[in-house]
Amino acid sequence: MAPATSEHPDNKEEVGQHPAGPRPSNEDRLAGLTQQLQTLLENAISTPGRWHMLLDTSATLWRYSGGNIALLMAQMEERGQQQPLLVAGFREWERHGRNVLKGEHALWVLAPRTASKSAATEPGAEAKPTLAVAEQASGSTKETDHRRIVGWRAQSVFDVSQTEGQPIYIPRPMVEVGSSPMGLWSSLVKFAQNQGFTVEQSMSQYGLSSGYTDFASRKIQAGAWLGQEQRVAVLAHELGHVCLHGPDDKLGKLYGSRLDHRGLAEVEAESVAYTVLRAHGIDRSAQSGSYLAGWADQVVAVEQSRLSGSPTGKEPASRLEIARSTLARVTSASRSILEVTQPHNLGGKPATAGMAVANYRGDLTGPVTGHQAIGTSPKIDAS
């Protein structure tokens, strides 16, 4: 979901201007955001390159959910503006010493309304017509120990390009071709271990693959003959399988994306790997192209297939539902990995005092007074 600190209580749509006519209700805005998300996913199916663009934006805004990433991307495109880099609410930008420019229109994301588990639910609070899409867009339906989701609301945020004031770094990780950032391999291994898997490098090859995941023995193997970047990419791909395609993946069984439907499962795993590496400054567009270009074909293939043994007995969902599920699953898995590997691009949220700002090439957004942007090259893992 959007970061909790992105909220501002006065919910201004524009800065320094009054919107003409009555403000849309929360329900109207939810309906509009729902339609916008559906249109973007439909375009992504008909134009596969759009999936690639979604992953690129996901790598920049990885702290946000897949649905909200798509909404932010679509709204910036509608305005003919560059893709969002750092996104926060009106008040949060003020805390960072920046003000939203006069006349700037807010970007909108979906956020849950929560209440104490002991509180009674208000009639109509769940906004049922858009609940399923809102769940996907906000990235989570999990309830905390003491609170539960009772509905959804539209929340306004602004990109850094819509603000001015105190200079702020925008990290842009860049890595030399064939290399990987210092510590990335070890942090990926740590994530695997957190999931109960061991990682081995071996000269043995399983079929024609460069790596594989064995759920029975809880083991991931990557080819020891691979170059450094390729070995990291293989491990990230296998971690996509670990996150999404285990034997307990009930959602994958329903949507046809578990390992017994290799096509969509491989697209999901490679999408996770592409996003994780891109967030760390590694561009795998050429190497991942064949996987990602065929994602829409796999979505359509799953829609047309007849799944046997589905735990719910349902027919395959529509391609729009499958695409929405795939986006939510990929971005959720990528976020769980990146929370451990901690890239320096901040994930779309302005840096706090505790966030690392070293070892990246960055831009210093102005106005700049008495400061100079300094680009520093990242350390390269020599292992």
Side-chain angles (χ1 to χ4, degrees):
M1 68 176 68
T5 54
S6 296
E7 196 176 328
H8 57 88
D10 54 359
N11 200 33
K12 295 179 182 178
E13 292 186 51
E14 296 176 298
V15 177
Q17 294 185 10
H18 296 284
R23 254 184 211 170
S25 66
N26 185 62
E27 291 73 19
D28 289 342
R29 202 176 292 282
L30 281 174
L33 291 173
T34 298
Q35 183 57 53
Q36 196 168 30
L37 179 58
Q38 290 177 341
T39 299
L40 186 143
L41 289 172
E42 288 168 351
N43 290 340
I45 296 172
S46 61
T47 310
R50 298 285 292 172
W51 180 248
H52 220 142
M53 293 175 65
L54 265 172
L55 295 183
D56 285 339
T57 307
S58 297
T60 301
L61 305 179
W62 60 266
R63 294 185 187 276
Y64 286 78
S65 69
N68 279 335
I69 289 166
L71 289 173
L72 289 168
M73 185 180 87
Q75 290 170 79
M76 293 293 274
E77 283 186 346
E78 278 183 351
R79 303 174 188 188
Q81 297 172 331
Q82 64 180 13
Q83 290 304 307
L85 294 172
L86 297 176
V87 181
F90 186 89
R91 297 302 183 199
E92 186 176 0
W93 279 126
E94 286 187 333
R95 289 193 291 271
H96 284 277
R98 297 185 69 82
N99 298 308
V100 175
L101 291 164
K102 182 178 180 179
E104 284 289 344
H105 291 258
L107 301 166
W108 293 91
V109 295
L110 292 169
R113 293 183 184 275
T114 63
S116 169
K117 285 188 175 182
S118 60
T121 303
E122 295 180 10
E126 294 188 5
K128 291 181 180 179
T130 58
L131 180 59
V133 174
E135 288 172 349
Q136 297 288 353
S138 69
S140 175
T141 58
K142 294 182 180 178
E143 298 177 350
T144 65
D145 290 340
H146 305 291
R147 301 190 68 81
R148 58 193 172 85
I149 295 173
V150 296
W152 302 90
R153 62 186 173 84
Q155 178 172 299
S156 58
V157 294
F158 297 86
D159 182 58
V160 65
S161 63
Q162 299 175 282
T163 69
E164 64 180 357
Q166 185 70 25
I168 187 169
Y169 269 110
I170 302 176
R172 302 179 190 273
M174 297 177 66
V175 176
E176 295 176 6
V177 175
S179 302
S180 64
M182 178 69 74
L184 180 53
W185 171 267
S186 60
S187 63
L188 291 173
V189 171
K190 178 182 178 181
F191 179 85
Q193 293 171 340
N194 291 346
Q195 307 305 308
F197 284 76
T198 59
V199 178
E200 299 178 358
Q201 299 181 60
S202 173
M203 292 302 293
S204 301
Q205 190 170 17
Y206 181 78
L208 299 177
S209 66
S210 299
Y212 71 90
T213 298
D214 186 335
F215 283 95
S217 62
R218 311 291 286 181
K219 180 177 69 176
I220 299 171
Q221 181 172 303
W225 65 89
L226 299 171
Q228 179 181 323
E229 181 186 304
Q230 182 64 19
R231 193 166 66 249
V232 168
V234 167
L235 179 53
H237 178 103
E238 297 306 321
L239 290 178
H241 286 310
V242 167
C243 291
L244 299 175
H245 305 129
D248 298 328
D249 175 27
K250 294 180 181 179
L251 187 60
K253 292 177 184 178
L254 176 61
Y255 286 101
S257 61
R258 64 175 184 168
L259 286 179
D260 59 3
H261 196 298
R262 296 296 307 186
L264 193 53
E266 292 301 324
V267 168
E268 285 187 332
E270 187 62 19
S271 295
V272 171
Y274 178 88
T275 303
V276 169
L277 269 60
R278 184 80 170 181
H280 281 278
I282 302 173
D283 186 358
R284 298 279 299 175
S285 299
Q287 296 86 344
S288 299
S290 59
Y291 275 103
L292 303 183
W295 95 279
D297 293 337
Q298 300 301 334
V299 170
V300 173
V302 171
E303 181 194 38
Q304 294 174 344
S305 69
R306 292 294 180 264
L307 302 181
S308 60
S310 172
T312 62
K314 292 182 179 180
E315 294 292 331
S318 72
R319 68 190 64 182
L320 182 61
E321 291 173 321
I322 295 166
R324 189 169 62 238
S325 172
T326 300
L327 176 62
R329 285 160 58 85
V330 165
T331 52
S332 177
S334 299
R335 184 166 62 251
S336 67
I337 296 172
L338 290 167
E339 284 172 349
V340 173
T341 62
Q342 286 296 305
H344 294 295
N345 74 347
L346 304 180
K349 183 178 179 180
T352 61
M355 287 186 177
V357 293
N359 300 331
Y360 63 83
R361 289 188 179 93
D363 294 339
L364 191 61
T365 296
V368 179
T369 304
H371 294 76
Q372 184 177 357
I374 301 176
T376 58
S377 299
K379 295 179 181 178
I380 303 301
D381 195 344
S383 62

mmCIF file of all heavy atoms in Angstrom, residues 56 63 160 219 221 237 262 279-280 290:
data_model
loop_
_atom_site.group_PDB
_atom_site.id
_atom_site.type_symbol
_atom_site.label_atom_id
_atom_site.label_comp_id
_atom_site.label_asym_id
_atom_site.label_seq_id
_atom_site.Cartn_x
_atom_site.Cartn_y
_atom_site.Cartn_z
ATOM 1 N N ASP A 56 9.570 -1.454 -14.937
ATOM 2 C CA ASP A 56 10.553 -0.377 -14.761
ATOM 3 C C ASP A 56 10.090 0.601 -13.672
ATOM 4 O O ASP A 56 10.874 1.033 -12.818
ATOM 5 C CB ASP A 56 10.765 0.373 -16.070
ATOM 6 C CG ASP A 56 11.610 -0.411 -17.058
ATOM 7 O OD1 ASP A 56 12.355 -1.316 -16.629
ATOM 8 O OD2 ASP A 56 11.520 -0.138 -18.269
ATOM 9 N N ARG A 63 8.399 0.425 -2.979
ATOM 10 C CA ARG A 63 7.733 0.448 -1.678
ATOM 11 C C ARG A 63 6.209 0.574 -1.806
ATOM 12 O O ARG A 63 5.490 0.456 -0.826
ATOM 13 C CB ARG A 63 8.278 1.592 -0.810
ATOM 14 C CG ARG A 63 9.740 1.404 -0.424
ATOM 15 C CD ARG A 63 10.202 2.481 0.530
ATOM 16 N NE ARG A 63 11.632 2.409 0.768
ATOM 17 C CZ ARG A 63 12.212 1.610 1.670
ATOM 18 N NH1 ARG A 63 11.465 0.827 2.420
ATOM 19 N NH2 ARG A 63 13.522 1.610 1.822
ATOM 20 N N VAL A 160 8.032 14.323 -6.619
ATOM 21 C CA VAL A 160 9.040 15.341 -6.316
ATOM 22 C C VAL A 160 9.104 16.418 -7.392
ATOM 23 O O VAL A 160 9.406 17.582 -7.110
ATOM 24 C CB VAL A 160 10.418 14.683 -6.105
ATOM 25 C CG1 VAL A 160 10.928 14.035 -7.385
ATOM 26 C CG2 VAL A 160 11.437 15.690 -5.566
ATOM 27 N N LYS A 219 16.150 -26.298 -1.461
ATOM 28 C CA LYS A 219 17.468 -25.961 -1.991
ATOM 29 C C LYS A 219 17.334 -25.200 -3.301
ATOM 30 O O LYS A 219 16.485 -25.499 -4.138
ATOM 31 C CB LYS A 219 18.281 -27.234 -2.221
ATOM 32 C CG LYS A 219 19.676 -26.992 -2.769
ATOM 33 C CD LYS A 219 20.448 -28.308 -2.914
ATOM 34 C CE LYS A 219 19.875 -29.172 -4.024
ATOM 35 N NZ LYS A 219 20.677 -30.406 -4.220
ATOM 36 N N GLN A 221 19.797 -24.013 -6.549
ATOM 37 C CA GLN A 221 21.114 -24.210 -7.161
ATOM 38 C C GLN A 221 21.295 -23.228 -8.310
ATOM 39 O O GLN A 221 20.392 -23.023 -9.117
ATOM 40 C CB GLN A 221 21.270 -25.632 -7.683
ATOM 41 C CG GLN A 221 22.638 -25.897 -8.311
ATOM 42 C CD GLN A 221 22.836 -27.361 -8.642
ATOM 43 O OE1 GLN A 221 22.743 -28.225 -7.773
ATOM 44 N NE2 GLN A 221 23.106 -27.638 -9.911
ATOM 45 N N HIS A 237 15.808 -14.867 -9.907
ATOM 46 C CA HIS A 237 14.723 -15.577 -10.605
ATOM 47 C C HIS A 237 14.196 -16.726 -9.745
ATOM 48 O O HIS A 237 12.982 -16.896 -9.577
ATOM 49 C CB HIS A 237 15.239 -16.094 -11.944
ATOM 50 C CG HIS A 237 14.235 -16.874 -12.734
ATOM 51 N ND1 HIS A 237 13.557 -16.349 -13.818
ATOM 52 C CD2 HIS A 237 13.793 -18.159 -12.610
ATOM 53 C CE1 HIS A 237 12.737 -17.259 -14.313
ATOM 54 N NE2 HIS A 237 12.865 -18.371 -13.596
ATOM 55 N N ARG A 262 3.973 -23.782 -16.520
ATOM 56 C CA ARG A 262 5.304 -23.198 -16.551
ATOM 57 C C ARG A 262 5.337 -21.804 -17.155
ATOM 58 O O ARG A 262 6.098 -20.949 -16.712
ATOM 59 C CB ARG A 262 6.265 -24.100 -17.343
ATOM 60 C CG ARG A 262 6.494 -25.457 -16.747
ATOM 61 C CD ARG A 262 7.170 -25.399 -15.399
ATOM 62 N NE ARG A 262 8.392 -24.619 -15.392
ATOM 63 C CZ ARG A 262 9.204 -24.538 -14.345
ATOM 64 N NH1 ARG A 262 8.893 -25.175 -13.227
ATOM 65 N NH2 ARG A 262 10.303 -23.813 -14.394
ATOM 66 N N ALA A 279 16.032 -2.346 -9.619
ATOM 67 C CA ALA A 279 16.076 -1.476 -8.441
ATOM 68 C C ALA A 279 17.493 -1.298 -7.932
ATOM 69 O O ALA A 279 17.823 -0.272 -7.339
ATOM 70 C CB ALA A 279 15.187 -2.047 -7.337
ATOM 71 N N HIS A 280 18.356 -2.281 -8.184
ATOM 72 C CA HIS A 280 19.754 -2.209 -7.767
ATOM 73 C C HIS A 280 20.662 -1.643 -8.867
ATOM 74 O O HIS A 280 21.888 -1.683 -8.734
ATOM 75 C CB HIS A 280 20.257 -3.589 -7.358
ATOM 76 C CG HIS A 280 19.833 -3.994 -5.973
ATOM 77 N ND1 HIS A 280 20.500 -3.573 -4.841
ATOM 78 C CD2 HIS A 280 18.794 -4.758 -5.544
ATOM 79 C CE1 HIS A 280 19.906 -4.080 -3.771
ATOM 80 N NE2 HIS A 280 18.863 -4.795 -4.164
ATOM 81 N N SER A 290 12.783 -12.011 -23.900
ATOM 82 C CA SER A 290 11.953 -13.095 -24.407
ATOM 83 C C SER A 290 10.925 -13.539 -23.370
ATOM 84 O O SER A 290 9.793 -13.881 -23.718
ATOM 85 C CB SER A 290 12.826 -14.280 -24.823
ATOM 86 O OG SER A 290 13.599 -14.747 -23.731
#
